[in-house]
């Protein structure tokens, strides 16, 4: 059975000198939920909280900068405390490494920039091969304008039209789209010629200053420079990878140690101190009480006081769900909805049972169920996905109901001989042949679940001494009588034996409805308090009338909501019938269609059924008795996965 | 040139045309293009589309000239037409050369326009990529700067006799409008003539298309002649082309309008009135609504037809409209026109 883990309220006090060792123990214990001492009643004129800059942030930031520089990642690596240097030494080592890595990184990026520039220049100058004149001499011409560039092929054909204009276009190379070259024009008419070339979509190329000599010399020179920069870049990259490889282990140890120190130091924010002593407050699960105490056995000057938290204590201890082996993974749905209060009820067992049965009913197929179960088990084993553990359980339920339905991968008659052999005449239960039975049964399940959750609600509310809700609410005793009365009456009518006579209606329908209408004054009466109509009688009557109307509507809609269970039983059979019909239509592709069809139906229906059952859990079950008022139990720990920003 | 009534592998040809049409820009593409903040960004976007990637592959989008970009997009539309008509040797049939015929007519008109304006800049706009497909050298045409030289240049073409009729008087007044009307009339007559060689159903579809096209050109031109030149009904009538949907009385009514407002009021009562209204008729300029109406017709035909001539004709126009819209967007981006204002100018989207 599921329950809520009992908690111990822990007070730790000791001399300030022992604070750091205590915090380190707490951070590594994995079972201590730390509270802010000042907010927990541990305060006084002499006490104040710890405000100090974390000295381990700086070296951790440097480690993060090294990561940014060279992509180095750190993982947990522990070494004995004796072998690990002190924080100052680690910081100085990290700083040296950062400088080295930064220098190499600068060299790499400098070489890469130059490489890109020279490659671009080479690409352009290569198109100008054949120009046997020094570029710099050309640029120094005083009376002639020289424009390097490329002219679209279509425009090149138009050049002959401008024979009367004073310019000369020297074509140096061409491809399918462009003619590459240079045009020369006297200074006196260069503006007009520039306009002509502009109208011909001439794209100018700017030759960088570092290009010297004629085109061939320039290409040669550029290639030499490219080689040089490539070599420089390669060397720097090699050195950087060597630096990473050489220091990886050391930095892993530093990171693990510094992160531990950093996170432990951060816990000081929750500690209260006086001149000489520190005070720490937190919670430990009762099951870990002894083990936790032993962790401090070597610190003789520390005082630890523990007190088991009672159900009705004014403190609000954090909540840790305690679930059985079967219901454990279903705890994720409870956490998703919100944790119960410390003195509340853990509904994980109820979820586990109802979820498993409802999913099995909706996803009844022996083959599909087993597949889902196996996939879930694998996900749980290798990925530690809690949903995988849920799938492993509900898949088996699907397989069980699939056996009852006689359905194996959509083949509805494979189990017929087995049941015939066993002499069981009422099985397999073919949903498509019993549509009404399926739908009525779904409603019946709905009625059962609703009545059950109402009973649970009564128990929970009585425990909380909320008699108004337990006795007179729509989910209390009156609600049960009214809802049960309606269901009983309808069933009797359907069976041809109407039991709804005057007395039945008066006692089981009218009276509970009046009591629900009057639930607030009755609630006050039970508690011995006087009832006041805050907004007058008219408002009281109007609001309660509509609320009661909503209760009746709610009973109907919530019950009918369970029809979806029957709907999915039918849709599964229907969808698989389509797959089998398709495979009959295309006998050559039959195995492929059956496999793909099964995968499709299994994936789609598995997901839909899972979502629909969850909806039933949250809306039709939880909403009747469950309130998520708890806060999670979050033990402090050193998070090595999270690097410092 | 022969004009056969059928294509060897019509379904494959239509499928090929539709496949090429399928690569058109979507509304999402246009929206993303509209979001570009500079011409290089727009060019880069187009370079990454399937439709224009090939023609822009060698372009450096950071340095490309806007005019060059537009010329390349027009070239892409033209080359799509060339590829389609080369398939199954469609270009051996007279009808399928409609685009070449139109290009020749447009270049001749451009030449006359530059001539009339005394400008020698025609060379800058000549689509050199069309040379080799046209029946005369386009660069040679761009070097023609007087009408007599034009008559000499076109001596061995059917255009000579058409243009000879408009030989300028001694004061060198060139009748551009007359030339335009005559050349357009010739173009559409040849188009309709060659379309008649197809089956009755195909021929009537094409005639319907061409009829609507000439009707709308007439409406735009007559509107402008009334609005800007206060032209007389007789003058307008002389310059208009054969029509299909409008009766002689309706036309007479439109052409004799005293002003553009009266023209639009009379237009509202015609077959095209509501159609143009539905396509966003602007009282200042009906061209955009007319182009939208034509584009809608072509798109509809392209999606439903199985006839090769209809598919080729419609595709060519749709592709050109798409390119025109892209050019409108690029110009809008270049002159930093707000996105919403550019959208209003678009025809196809």
């Amino acid at each position: 059975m599921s329950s809520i883990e009992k908690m111990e309220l822990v007070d730790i006090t000791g001399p300030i000198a022992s604070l750091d060792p205590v915090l380190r123990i707490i951070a590594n214990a994995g079972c201590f939920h730390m509270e802010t001492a000042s907010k927990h009643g541990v305060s006084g004129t002499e006490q104040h909280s710890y405000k100090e800059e974390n000295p381990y942030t700086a070296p951790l930031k440097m480690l993060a900068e090294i990561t940014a520089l060279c992509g180095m990642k750190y993982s947990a690596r522990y070494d004995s405390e004796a072998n690990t240097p002190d924080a100052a030494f680690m910081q100085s080592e990290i700083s040296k490494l950062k400088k080295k890595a930064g220098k190499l990184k600068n060299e790499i990026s400098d070489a890469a920039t130059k490489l890109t520039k020279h490659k671009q220049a080479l690409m352009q100058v290569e198109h100008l091969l054949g120009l046997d004149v020094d570029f710099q001499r050309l640029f120094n011409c005083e009376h002639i304008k020289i424009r390097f560039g490329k002219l679209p092929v279509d425009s090149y054909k138009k050049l002959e039209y401008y024979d009367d204009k004073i310019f000369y276009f020297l074509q140096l190379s061409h491809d399918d789209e462009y003619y590459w070259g240079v045009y020369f024009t006297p200074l006196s008419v260069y503006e007009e010629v520039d306009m002509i070339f502009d109208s011909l979509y001439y794209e100018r190329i700017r030759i960088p200053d570092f290009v010297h000599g004629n085109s061939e010399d320039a290409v040669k020179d550029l290639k030499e420079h490219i080689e040089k920069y490539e070599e420089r870049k390669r060397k720097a990259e090699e050195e950087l990878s060597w630096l990473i490889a050489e220091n990886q282990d050391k930095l892993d140890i530093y990171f693990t140690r510094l992160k531990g120190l950093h996170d432990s130091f951060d816990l000081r924010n929750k500690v209260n101190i006086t001149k000489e002593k520190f005070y720490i407050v937190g919670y430990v699960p009762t099951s870990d009480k002894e083990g936790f105490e032993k962790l401090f056995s070597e610190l003789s000057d520390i005082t630890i006081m523990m007190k088991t938290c009672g159900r009705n204590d004014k403190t609000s201890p954090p909540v840790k769900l305690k679930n059985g082996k079967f219901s454990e993974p279903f705890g994720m749905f409870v956490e998703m909805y919100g944790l119960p209060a410390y003195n509340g009820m853990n509904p994980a067992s109820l979820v586990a049972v109802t979820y498993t049965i409802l999913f099995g009913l909706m996803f009844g197929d022996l083959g599909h169920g087993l597949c889902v179960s196996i996939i879930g088990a694998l996900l749980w084993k290798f990925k530690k996905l809690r949903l995988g553990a849920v799938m492993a359980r509900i898949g088996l339920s699907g397989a069980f109901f699939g056996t009852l339905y006689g359905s194996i991968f959509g083949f509805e008659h494979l189990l017929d001989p087995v049941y015939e052999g066993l002499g069981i005449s009422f099985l397999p239960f073919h949903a498509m042949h019993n549509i009404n039975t399926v739908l009525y049964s779904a409603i019946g399940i709905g009625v059962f679940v609703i009545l059950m959750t109402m009973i649970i609600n009564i128990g929970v509310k009585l425990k909380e001494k909320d008699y108004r809700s337990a006795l007179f609410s729509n989910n209390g005793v009156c609600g049960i009588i009214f809802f049960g009365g309606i269901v009983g009456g309808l069933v009797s009518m359907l069976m041809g034996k109407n039991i709804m006579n005057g007395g039945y209606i008066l006692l089981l329908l009218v009276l509970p409805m009046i009591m629900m209408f009057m639930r607030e004054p009755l609630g006050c009466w039970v508690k011995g308090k006087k009832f006041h109509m805050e907004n007058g009688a008219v408002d009281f009557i109007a609001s309660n009338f509509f609320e009661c109307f909503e209760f009746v509507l709610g009973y109907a809609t919530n019950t009918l909501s369970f029809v979806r269970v029957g709907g999915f039983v039918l849709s599964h059979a229907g969808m698989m019938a389509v797959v089998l019909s398709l495979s009959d239509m295309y006998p050559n592709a039959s195995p492929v269609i059956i496999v793909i069809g099964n995968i499709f139906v299994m994936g789609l229906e598995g997901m839909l059924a899972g979502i629909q059952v969850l909806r039933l859990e949250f809306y039709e079950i939880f909403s009747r008795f469950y309130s998520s008022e708890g806060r999670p139990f979050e033990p402090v720990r050193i998070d090595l996965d999270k690097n410092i920003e | 040139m022969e004009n056969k009534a059928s294509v060897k592998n019509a379904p494959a040809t239509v499928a090929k045309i539709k496949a090429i049409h399928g690569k058109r820009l979507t509304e999402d593409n246009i929206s993303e293009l509209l979001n570009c903040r500079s011409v290089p960004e727009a060019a880069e976007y187009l370079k990454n589309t399937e439709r224009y990637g090939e023609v822009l592959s060698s372009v450096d989008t950071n340095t490309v000239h806007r005019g060059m970009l537009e010329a390349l997009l027009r070239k892409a539309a033209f080359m799509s037409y060339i590829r389609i008509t080369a398939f199954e040797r469609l270009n051996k049939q007279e009808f399928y050369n409609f685009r070449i015929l139109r290009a020749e007519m447009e270049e001749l008109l451009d030449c006359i326009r530059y001539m009339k304006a005394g400008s020698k800049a025609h060379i800058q706009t000549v689509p050199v990529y069309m040379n080799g497909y046209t029946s005369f050298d386009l660069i040679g045409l761009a070097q023609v700067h007087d009408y007599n030289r034009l008559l000499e240049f076109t001596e061995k073409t059917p255009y000579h006799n058409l243009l000879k009729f408009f030989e300028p008087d001694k004061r060198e007044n060139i009748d551009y409008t007359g030339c335009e009307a005559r050349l357009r009339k010739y173009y559409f007559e040849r188009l309709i003539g060659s379309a008649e060689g197809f089956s009755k159903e195909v021929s009537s579809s094409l005639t319907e298309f061409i009829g609507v096209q000439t009707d709308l050109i007439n409406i735009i031109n007559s509107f402008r002649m009334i609005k800007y030149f206060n032209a007389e009904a007789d003058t307008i009538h002389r310059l208009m082309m054969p029509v299909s949907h409008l009766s002689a009385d309706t036309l007479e009514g439109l052409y004799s309008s005293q002003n553009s407002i009266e023209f639009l009021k009379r237009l509202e009562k015609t077959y095209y009135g509501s159609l143009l209204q539905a396509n966003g008729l602007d009282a200042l300029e009906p061209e955009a609504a007319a182009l939208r109406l034509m584009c809608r017709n072509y798109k509809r035909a392209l999606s439903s037809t199985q006839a090769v001539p209809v598919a080729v004709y419609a595709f060519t126009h749709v592709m050109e409209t798409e390119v025109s819209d892209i050019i409108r967007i690029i110009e809008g981006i270049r002159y930093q026109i707000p996105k919403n204002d550019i959208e209003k100018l678009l025809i196809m989207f």
Side-chain angles (χ1 to χ4, degrees):
Chain A
M1 273 297 283
S2 299
S3 59
I4 292 166
E5 189 95 49
K6 279 196 171 180
M7 289 286 160
E8 300 289 324
L9 179 63
V10 182
D11 285 341
I12 306 172
T13 53
I16 287 195
S18 301
L19 179 60
D20 280 336
V22 168
L23 289 177
R24 278 206 290 280
I25 290 170
I26 284 172
N28 289 306
C31 62
F32 185 74
H33 177 106
M34 195 165 174
E35 296 284 336
T36 305
S38 59
K39 288 181 184 170
H40 226 266
V42 183
S43 61
T45 48
E46 292 178 348
Q47 292 186 19
H48 58 89
S49 35
Y50 225 110
K51 298 275 179 212
E52 202 175 313
E53 200 181 330
N54 194 326
Y56 308 107
T57 304
L60 278 172
K61 271 193 176 167
M62 275 196 266
L63 283 172
E65 281 163 16
I66 293 175
T67 301
L69 278 173
C70 51
M72 197 169 186
K73 295 266 168 71
Y74 314 105
S75 48
R77 183 179 284 270
Y78 297 92
D79 205 348
S80 66
E81 204 153 320
N83 288 342
T84 312
D86 63 29
F89 181 81
M90 285 191 279
Q91 183 163 354
S92 130
E93 285 287 291
I94 293 167
S95 172
K96 278 181 202 165
L97 265 171
K98 194 191 125 193
K99 268 185 196 163
K100 272 188 197 171
K103 197 180 160 197
L104 287 170
K105 193 70 191 169
N106 282 344
E107 260 182 54
I108 292 167
S109 65
D110 180 54
T113 312
K114 284 179 176 155
L115 204 55
T116 310
K117 278 185 185 170
H118 280 71
K119 276 184 177 171
Q120 278 172 351
L122 178 66
M123 208 168 67
Q124 288 160 357
V125 176
E126 268 180 340
H127 285 292
L128 309 176
L129 273 174
L131 187 69
D132 193 16
V133 187
D134 188 331
F135 282 108
Q136 293 307 319
R137 278 187 64 199
L138 287 176
F139 295 140
N140 290 336
C141 287
E142 284 180 18
H143 303 290
I144 296 173
K145 284 282 177 188
I146 295 150
R147 313 286 198 217
F148 290 95
K150 55 180 181 178
L151 191 64
V153 171
D154 284 352
S155 300
Y156 182 76
K157 291 172 188 164
K158 295 177 184 175
L159 277 185
E160 61 183 90
Y161 178 84
Y162 296 101
D163 276 351
D164 57 332
K165 302 292 175 192
I166 310 171
F167 69 82
Y168 177 66
F169 179 74
L170 178 63
Q171 173 220 319
L172 296 166
S173 67
H174 71 90
D175 55 27
D176 290 345
E177 303 294 336
Y178 290 100
Y179 278 83
W180 302 71
V182 53
Y183 71 80
F184 304 85
T185 183
L187 200 61
S188 55
V189 293
Y190 86 93
E191 282 171 337
E192 187 193 355
V193 172
D194 278 352
M195 275 172 66
I196 289 171
F197 272 85
D198 194 41
S199 73
L200 295 174
Y201 312 133
Y202 186 73
E203 286 177 40
R204 283 184 64 184
I205 293 169
R206 311 279 170 178
I207 305 292
D209 295 341
F210 53 76
V211 175
H212 299 285
N214 63 22
S215 57
E216 281 183 24
D217 292 342
V219 166
K220 200 178 156 193
D221 184 54
L222 285 169
K223 281 184 176 169
E224 279 173 9
H225 273 86
I226 287 169
E227 270 179 36
K228 195 176 88 183
Y229 290 128
E230 273 175 348
E231 180 62 16
R232 195 197 286 180
K233 186 168 168 262
R234 192 182 54 76
K235 270 190 177 175
E237 280 170 347
E238 268 178 17
E239 269 187 62
L240 187 63
S241 6
W242 181 80
L243 189 74
I244 293 171
E246 194 190 28
N247 292 287
Q248 182 72 59
D249 289 354
K250 188 165 80 178
L251 289 185
D252 281 349
I253 292 168
Y254 288 3
F255 170 73
T256 310
R257 176 81 178 140
L258 285 167
K259 192 72 171 58
L261 290 168
H262 174 271
D263 288 6
S264 315
F265 194 92
D266 263 358
L267 296 177
R268 289 181 173 220
N269 292 332
K270 295 185 173 181
V271 177
N272 256 23
I273 55 164
T274 60
K275 277 183 184 172
E276 294 162 352
K277 284 192 166 187
F278 69 83
Y279 296 87
I280 293 172
V281 180
Y283 293 93
V284 170
T286 306
S287 55
D288 294 324
K289 182 182 170 182
E290 285 178 20
F292 183 72
E293 264 181 318
K294 274 184 192 168
L295 293 173
F296 298 91
S297 55
E298 289 178 10
L299 299 173
S300 54
D301 49 356
I302 298 296
T303 310
I304 301 177
M305 289 173 67
M306 292 201 189
K307 185 191 157 201
T308 306
C309 301
R311 292 285 172 201
N312 298 317
D313 277 6
K314 282 185 180 174
T315 57
S316 61
V319 175
K320 187 183 178 193
L321 299 179
K322 192 176 172 185
N323 296 316
K325 205 169 182 182
F326 180 77
S327 58
E328 203 288 321
F330 293 93
M332 67 179 273
F333 295 136
V334 178
E335 287 160 21
M336 202 187 285
Y337 190 88
L339 288 165
Y342 181 69
N343 58 355
M345 172 199 169
N346 176 4
S349 295
L350 179 70
V351 174
V353 173
T354 50
Y355 199 102
T356 307
I357 293 173
L358 290 173
F359 183 86
L361 280 166
M362 291 159 84
F363 193 71
D365 187 296
L366 179 58
H368 291 172
L370 289 176
C371 284
V372 167
S373 188
I374 290 166
I375 294 168
L378 292 173
L379 283 173
W380 169 244
K381 187 169 168 61
F382 295 109
K383 296 276 176 189
K384 289 290 164 210
L385 276 180
R386 286 175 91 189
L387 189 63
V390 171
M391 283 166 70
R393 287 155 174 79
I394 60 176
L396 288 177
S397 170
F400 170 74
F401 283 100
T403 311
L404 298 185
Y405 300 156
S407 176
I408 304 175
F409 290 116
F411 295 97
E412 303 285 335
H413 297 284
L414 285 184
L415 290 177
D416 290 2
V418 178
Y419 286 115
E420 276 173 28
L422 291 170
I424 302 172
S425 58
F426 57 91
L427 288 176
F429 176 80
H430 291 302
M432 291 305 261
H433 302 156
N434 301 283
I435 292 174
N436 281 348
T437 313
V438 170
L439 296 177
Y440 288 142
S441 304
I443 293 174
I445 290 168
V447 169
F448 173 78
V449 171
I450 290 171
L451 285 170
M452 180 183 71
T453 49
M454 282 176 167
I455 292 168
I456 294 172
N457 180 57
I458 293 167
V460 169
K461 297 300 172 194
L462 285 175
K463 196 173 153 190
E464 291 171 3
K465 296 185 179 167
D466 181 358
Y467 300 115
R468 185 187 70 84
S469 298
L471 300 175
F472 310 115
S473 75
N474 60 323
N475 290 316
V477 174
C478 290
I480 285 193
I481 296 170
F482 181 82
F483 181 61
I486 285 185
V487 171
L490 288 174
V491 170
S492 70
M493 280 166 75
L494 281 173
M495 293 173 77
K497 294 176 184 174
N498 192 355
I499 55 169
M500 289 177 78
N501 54 29
Y504 183 97
I505 292 171
L506 192 69
L507 277 173
L508 299 183
L509 303 181
V510 177
L511 188 63
M513 181 50 79
I514 291 171
M515 291 173 88
M516 282 194 277
F517 187 91
M518 302 291 287
R519 64 196 179 285
E520 282 179 36
L522 287 172
C524 289
W525 172 71
V526 170
K527 280 190 173 178
K529 288 182 183 171
K530 203 174 178 186
F531 174 69
H532 294 286
M533 284 185 198
E534 284 179 10
N535 297 315
V538 176
D539 184 73
F540 174 81
I541 292 167
S543 64
N544 279 292
F545 171 78
F546 285 111
E547 279 188 33
C548 287
F549 180 72
E550 204 181 312
F551 293 159
V552 176
L553 209 63
Y555 291 134
T557 54
N558 293 343
T559 310
L560 288 174
S561 190
F562 282 84
V563 172
R564 77 189 68 217
V565 176
F568 270 86
V569 175
L570 297 172
S571 82
H572 183 267
M575 283 173 84
M576 283 318 300
V578 172
V579 173
L580 295 178
S581 303
L582 280 172
S583 83
D584 286 344
M585 282 165 68
Y586 304 99
N588 292 337
S590 179
V592 178
I593 291 173
I594 288 175
V595 170
I596 294 176
N598 267 286
I599 293 171
F600 175 76
V601 172
M602 198 163 55
L604 183 73
E605 265 211 75
M607 197 171 67
L608 288 177
I611 293 168
Q612 290 300 332
V613 179
L614 194 61
R615 186 208 170 279
L616 288 174
E617 294 286 344
F618 284 174
Y619 284 85
E620 314 302 351
I621 298 177
F622 276 27
S623 62
R624 291 188 191 282
F625 67 91
Y626 185 67
S627 55
S628 52
E629 295 163 350
R631 59 195 181 105
F633 173 76
E634 287 171 338
V636 290
R637 65 185 188 94
I638 291 156
D639 188 0
L640 289 172
D641 295 334
K642 198 178 165 189
N643 283 2
I644 192 100
E645 292 298 319
Chain B
M1 208 172 273
E2 55 184 335
N3 193 359
K4 288 180 183 170
S6 65
V7 177
K8 203 174 168 187
N9 196 352
T13 310
V14 173
K16 184 182 170 73
I17 293 168
K18 288 186 178 179
I20 298 173
H21 178 59
K23 291 177 187 171
R24 67 191 178 279
L25 298 192
T26 61
E27 284 190 21
D28 284 346
N29 290 137
I30 291 296
S31 176
E32 284 163 9
L33 189 62
L34 281 163
N35 286 334
C36 293
R37 281 164 297 175
S38 64
V39 175
E41 200 182 329
E44 188 60 35
Y45 181 82
L46 290 168
K47 195 176 176 177
N48 289 319
T49 60
E50 199 176 353
R51 174 81 110 187
Y52 299 102
E54 190 187 333
V55 77
L56 299 177
S57 61
S58 59
V59 163
D60 180 349
T61 52
N62 288 314
T63 57
V64 68
H65 195 288
R66 182 170 58 87
M68 171 75 179
L69 181 63
E70 292 173 6
L72 285 172
L73 294 172
R74 287 199 178 94
K75 184 179 176 180
F78 182 76
M79 294 318 290
S80 292
Y81 154 81
I82 291 293
R83 269 198 291 275
I84 285 171
T85 50
F87 189 64
E88 297 290 346
R89 295 162 62 84
L90 295 177
N91 50 12
K92 298 292 172 198
Q93 299 177 41
E94 189 186 350
F95 173 79
Y96 294 103
N97 286 291
F98 64 89
R99 180 68 188 89
I100 309 285
L101 202 62
R102 179 150 60 87
E104 288 177 351
M105 177 188 72
E106 284 166 354
E107 284 310 306
L108 284 169
L109 287 172
D110 267 2
C111 176
I112 297 167
R113 196 163 49 241
Y114 280 108
M115 197 185 289
K116 197 172 161 66
S119 164
K120 292 182 178 178
H122 183 201
I123 187 71
Q124 290 170 9
T125 60
V126 166
V128 180
Y129 54 85
M130 287 189 187
N131 243 356
Y133 299 104
T134 49
S135 62
F136 51 80
D137 176 25
L138 295 177
I139 294 180
L141 178 70
Q143 286 166 328
V144 171
H145 303 306
D146 72 72
Y147 205 86
N148 286 330
R149 175 80 191 88
L150 178 65
L151 290 176
E152 278 172 34
F153 184 82
T154 54
E155 197 160 19
K156 289 176 184 170
T157 69
Y159 304 110
H160 179 79
N161 287 338
L162 303 174
L163 296 172
K164 200 177 173 189
F165 184 77
F166 298 98
E167 205 168 352
D169 53 27
K170 284 180 184 169
R171 284 176 297 169
E172 294 282 310
N173 280 334
I174 301 169
D175 182 4
Y176 175 80
T177 319
C179 290
E180 184 186 11
R182 190 67 199 93
L183 284 171
R184 280 198 194 282
K185 195 175 174 190
Y186 169 76
Y187 167 72
F188 282 112
E189 278 171 354
R190 265 189 73 174
L191 204 59
I192 292 169
S194 58
E196 280 167 1
F198 296 111
S199 69
K200 200 177 170 188
E201 195 185 343
V202 173
S203 169
S204 78
S205 291
L206 288 171
T207 313
E208 169 75 13
F209 264 161
I210 298 161
V212 171
Q213 202 178 347
T214 52
D215 279 349
L216 292 170
I217 291 172
N218 282 345
I219 288 170
I220 295 164
N221 287 346
S222 52
F223 173 84
R224 287 177 182 169
M225 287 176 82
I226 290 169
K227 185 172 178 182
Y228 299 112
F229 305 107
N230 289 322
E232 298 289 328
D234 286 349
T235 315
I236 299 171
H237 205 279
R238 187 169 55 82
L239 297 171
M240 294 300 118
M241 283 167 291
V243 289
S244 68
H245 280 297
L246 302 177
S247 67
D249 286 348
T250 312
L251 284 174
E252 218 39 63
L254 283 175
Y255 297 161
S256 59
S257 305
Q258 293 303 304
N259 53 47
S260 58
I261 298 166
E262 192 181 328
F263 182 93
L264 288 175
K265 273 185 186 167
R266 290 181 180 178
L267 180 65
E268 272 177 30
K269 292 170 190 162
T270 68
Y271 169 77
Y272 292 104
S274 56
L275 290 172
L276 289 169
Q277 287 287 355
N279 285 283
L281 179 63
D282 183 347
L284 295 174
E285 179 54 73
E287 188 178 6
L291 291 175
R292 278 187 203 110
L293 175 59
M294 279 194 271
C295 184
R296 209 175 64 177
N297 284 348
Y298 294 134
K299 276 165 82 177
R300 197 182 297 145
L302 192 54
S303 62
S304 60
T305 191
Q306 287 303 318
V308 177
V310 177
V312 174
Y313 194 75
F315 169 79
T316 308
H317 282 87
V318 169
M319 175 94 194
E320 284 177 345
T321 311
E322 180 181 289
V323 166
S324 303
D325 274 348
I326 295 171
I327 290 171
R328 283 184 190 98
I329 294 172
I330 291 172
E331 282 172 350
I333 293 169
R334 165 70 183 82
Y335 295 107
Q336 297 183 336
I337 296 170
K339 186 181 167 182
N340 291 346
D341 293 344
I342 304 175
E343 271 176 323
K344 284 178 198 159
L345 301 172
L346 302 184
I347 302 300
M348 198 165 149
F349 299 96

